[in-house]
Amino acid sequence: MSLDLVYRQAVLSVAGNPKVEALIKGRARSLVRRYVAGESLEEALQAAERLEAEGVHAILDLLGEMVHSEEEARGFQAGILELVRKISERPWPKYVSLKLTQLGLDLSEALALELMRGILREAEPRGVFVRLDMEDSPRVDATLRLYKALREEGFHGVGLVLQSYLFRTEKDLLDLLPYKPNLRLVKGAYREPKEVAFQDKRLIDAEFLHLGKLALKEGLYVAFATHDPRLIAEVKRYTQAMGVPRDRFEFQLLFGVRPEEQRRLAQEGYTVRAYVPYGTHWYPYLSRRIAERPENLFLVLRSLLGG
């Protein structure tokens, strides 16, 4: 196992400790503001406006996952519907991302499907694209089933995410080809066992490029979600060499991470989107960001020591 993976798994394990969660929630607000646009929808829309002024489009995400009741799931649906209506009033590209577990996937697939139908019935007529985030490996099959069900019901303004660190992903990609999915490709940010996921960063990176090239060859629209300069450079080289037009793919990066790279790619004429999370349920998201980059752990420690 690579040092990167050892670090990530260690951080995610510690982050699950309730005492650590309480400490970070109480004293690491400065780091939160770096990666989360705010707790309100208005703050998120203001952050999106600033990005648009720099040529970078926004992916808005009301943070939340793994709810414990139907009431909680319906509350998140109401929040997402408010987001859909508000963003539809803006002149820039309209793009929303969500997790199915915040709509009750763990409680009932039928409930999550019902709530997703309600969201898409509001979103599609307003030109709002909705991306279903992919969560940890036990939830992949259910997420794929719901995506396919929505497409078979006639919804088209919905996309999916695949993770390159899972052994199964190439098969999942091939199985999805009849649906011609709008695909976001990520490496994967959850703590996964060696039985289901690559544990070596080099293999994860290689698989990321392999899957992206395969998807492009199959005619899919691909959003490459990475901050790695080497991977970005290889995507640019490959698409230029193969004559893949720039309206067939895009780059996606996280709010607060390498903003200068986001602006530079946009200035070069690529479609660039920044994932802009907001809301009060930010702790799981922040934990995964800390696990991705050791520098973020130092920022947390500095926040804690400095109060």
Side-chain angles (χ1 to χ4, degrees):
M1 185 185 299
S2 68
L3 289 176
D4 289 324
L5 270 294
V6 170
Y7 166 77
R8 185 173 75 189
Q9 294 199 5
V11 168
L12 292 175
S13 179
V14 171
N17 184 301
K19 292 182 179 178
V20 173
E21 179 176 350
L23 182 63
I24 291 177
K25 282 184 173 180
R27 304 189 66 177
R29 290 283 173 171
S30 61
L31 183 63
V32 176
R33 295 298 298 188
R34 177 170 177 170
Y35 296 110
V36 178
E39 295 195 345
S40 71
L41 173 54
E42 189 54 41
E43 288 174 299
L45 292 171
Q46 289 171 4
E49 291 280 8
R50 292 192 294 271
L51 288 167
E52 287 291 335
E54 297 174 344
V56 177
H57 305 310
I59 305 168
L60 290 171
D61 184 354
L62 173 60
L63 290 171
E65 55 194 90
M66 301 179 190
V67 301
H68 297 100
S69 70
E70 181 175 337
E71 180 183 13
E72 205 178 349
R74 292 189 182 279
F76 272 116
Q77 188 208 36
I80 294 166
L81 288 172
E82 180 188 13
L83 166 59
V84 165
R85 292 165 187 145
K86 289 286 187 180
I87 199 175
S88 70
E89 300 168 358
R90 305 295 166 124
W92 25 264
K94 302 156 184 62
Y95 198 124
V96 170
S97 196
L98 60 84
K99 288 180 169 55
L100 287 173
T101 61
Q102 74 185 139
L103 297 178
L105 180 66
D106 289 351
L107 304 173
S108 160
E109 286 186 33
L111 172 63
L113 182 59
E114 174 200 336
L115 298 185
M116 269 306 307
R117 287 191 192 108
I119 290 169
L120 291 174
R121 285 172 184 149
E122 292 272 355
E124 288 200 345
R126 290 176 163 84
V128 179
F129 181 78
V130 180
R131 176 79 66 185
L132 304 183
D133 283 346
M134 188 62 76
E135 300 177 71
D136 55 350
S137 58
R139 296 172 173 88
V140 171
D141 281 321
T143 301
L144 293 174
R145 282 194 296 270
L146 262 69
Y147 171 78
K148 291 175 181 178
L150 290 166
R151 291 298 309 278
E152 288 165 6
E153 290 180 12
F155 293 108
H156 298 287
V158 57
L160 193 64
V161 178
L162 293 179
Q163 302 160 315
S164 73
Y165 69 173
L166 296 180
F167 298 150
R168 61 175 292 167
T169 300
E170 182 169 351
K171 180 180 183 303
D172 289 336
L173 173 57
L174 295 174
D175 288 345
L176 286 164
L177 289 180
Y179 297 88
K180 293 292 183 184
N182 181 310
L183 181 66
R184 176 197 288 157
L185 184 62
V186 302
K187 295 181 188 179
Y190 293 87
R191 184 184 180 193
E192 298 287 1
K194 62 182 180 181
E195 291 78 16
V196 302
F198 295 107
Q199 304 295 309
D200 188 311
K201 181 180 183 299
R202 292 170 299 177
L203 294 176
I204 296 169
D205 289 353
E207 194 70 2
F208 180 91
L209 291 172
H210 166 67
L211 293 169
K213 292 173 183 178
L214 174 60
L216 289 173
K217 287 177 183 176
E218 293 291 344
L220 304 186
Y221 186 92
V222 184
F224 290 92
T226 180
H227 305 96
D228 189 322
R230 185 183 63 83
L231 297 181
I232 291 173
E234 175 57 18
V235 171
K236 291 165 67 175
R237 185 207 65 77
Y238 176 80
T239 53
Q240 290 168 9
M242 300 301 293
V244 179
R246 293 187 181 183
D247 62 1
R248 286 269 321 284
F249 68 97
E250 65 186 56
F251 293 106
Q252 296 188 354
L253 298 91
L254 297 173
F255 178 76
V257 180
R258 301 191 70 204
E260 70 292 339
E261 175 72 0
Q262 298 178 27
R263 292 190 292 268
R264 185 177 66 81
L265 287 168
Q267 289 166 2
E268 291 177 0
Y270 293 98
T271 299
V272 183
R273 298 186 205 274
Y275 179 86
V276 180
Y278 72 98
T280 59
H281 298 267
W282 48 260
Y283 182 75
Y285 175 81
L286 181 66
S287 299
R288 292 191 287 273
R289 302 294 75 77
I290 296 169
E292 285 173 349
R293 304 174 73 229
E295 307 95 288
N296 291 343
L297 179 59
F298 294 120
L299 290 173
V300 169
L301 294 175
R302 188 170 68 183
S303 295
L304 297 179
L305 292 173

